[in-house]
Amino acid sequence: MEHHFNQRAPKKSVVQTNDIDEQAHNLTQWQQVYDQVSNGSFYGCIEGLDYPDMHLFKEFTQRALRQQCNIAPNSIWLGIPCRSEQSKINGLQLDNHQLMCRSSDYDFELITPEQFTIYGVVLNQHSLYSMAEIQGLSLKNLSTRGAERIDCNPILLNQTRLMIEKLINHSELGLRTDLLQDMLSTLALNLLSQPASTQTVAPSYQHRLAVVEKVKAFIDDHPQQAVTITQLCELTFVSRRTLQYSFESILGINPLRFLRLTRLNNVRRELKQPDLHHPISVIAANWGFWHPGQFTKDYTQLFGENPSLTRQRYQPAQP
């Protein structure tokens, strides 16, 4: 009976939410923080299948996001957007003929547009490399920085999208779990063993990325401090123009908007804590919003609800 059960196809899971933090936590064993970037109420959905050495999923997010991600330990993730327009990984624009790839050795950051759908495959790193060795395949270097984007045959890439979509929507297709997993692993190996082509990265990329990372670290360390463009220029030793260009090329937004969005998302997370009873104005001020009227306007515009409604929805029910 146990052997028969192990051969059955995995049961599909579907998780829908209107909470951006729940969306970030709904991917199995991932550690993620999602910040909302575009205005309006949020909706997200994850459809997934769990195999013994693999997780297959399709994720939809309604709003533009900045996603800070780390996958499950000893794993390799392949990310294939339905459409690649405006999506970035670690500040690098993804082209239509590319997929995203990261191992659990490194955190990474995604910038995703509105109405975004991505197909994901998370594979056991040891099993994948063992399979490649047995088949005599040489995989691209997947564990180093700079290997975020992988060029791929567009036909093979689209076949992968169709295969994942078919599996998610039509269950096991009559095949045993071990055969399905082997088939998916082979498909992943084919994607990762394609002849490599030269990645086009501007020489200034590392400098621009370093500028952005330094500002992000400063904001994390000084959440209450009001920051001006002049201060950020002094902090990073760059001109206003270089600062602006660095943020727009890496994150797609200017530095002051990044600051405001980051703090608004942090205020929202704090308002959702059921055991916190500070006035909203105090919480907002602690994140650098000193004008209650302007704060409420900005918050409502971004999240599609005012801050008092957010707090009310996450308060425990009264007995």
Side-chain angles (χ1 to χ4, degrees), residues 185-283:
S185 297
T186 300
L187 191 59
L189 287 175
N190 289 338
L191 290 170
L192 297 175
S193 59
Q194 293 285 302
S197 60
T198 304
Q199 296 284 342
T200 302
V201 178
S204 61
Y205 164 72
Q206 291 295 344
H207 180 250
R208 288 183 278 117
L209 183 64
V211 168
V212 172
E213 292 299 323
K214 191 165 188 177
V215 172
K216 286 161 61 176
F218 178 82
I219 291 172
D220 288 341
D221 292 338
H222 304 83
Q224 293 177 272
Q225 183 170 328
V227 181
T228 66
I229 289 292
T230 300
Q231 289 172 318
L232 294 181
C233 290
E234 292 175 342
L235 172 73
T236 54
F237 302 102
V238 298
S239 68
R240 181 189 184 105
R241 182 176 179 181
T242 299
L243 180 72
Q244 184 95 359
Y245 178 62
S246 296
F247 268 82
E248 289 180 348
S249 62
I250 298 295
L251 298 180
I253 54 178
N254 67 55
L256 289 183
R257 178 162 173 77
F258 167 78
L259 174 62
R260 185 168 65 254
L261 291 174
T262 299
R263 289 178 169 172
L264 285 170
N265 277 276
N266 283 328
V267 169
R268 184 173 177 82
R269 292 189 186 97
E270 194 162 338
L271 288 175
K272 289 161 55 179
Q273 296 179 20
D275 55 347
L276 195 68
H277 303 292
H278 298 309
I280 293 175
S281 59
V282 172
I283 295 173

Side-chain angles (χ1 to χ4, degrees), residues 45 47 57-61 67 77-88 93-100 110-121 154-166 168-169:
C45 178
E47 303 171 72
F57 67 89
K58 175 184 178 182
E59 181 180 14
F60 171 79
T61 46
Q67 307 179 21
W77 164 75
L78 306 183
I80 308 172
C82 184
R83 297 186 308 275
S84 299
E85 294 87 347
Q86 298 179 350
S87 56
K88 295 183 177 185
Q93 179 70 47
L94 197 70
D95 292 329
N96 288 326
H97 64 283
Q98 294 176 325
L99 59 86
M100 294 183 279
L110 300 181
I111 303 297
T112 59
E114 290 202 327
Q115 308 295 327
F116 182 70
T117 298
I118 187 169
Y119 299 101
V121 185
I155 295 176
L156 181 59
L157 201 58
N158 198 47
Q159 287 175 344
T160 306
R161 291 187 185 100
L162 294 173
M163 172 62 70
I164 297 174
E165 183 72 35
K166 196 170 186 180
I168 287 177
N169 285 327

Side-chain angles (χ1 to χ4, degrees), residues 37-52:
V37 175
S38 66
N39 297 336
S41 57
F42 176 80
Y43 169 77
C45 178
I46 298 175
E47 303 171 72
L49 296 169
D50 274 314
Y51 297 88

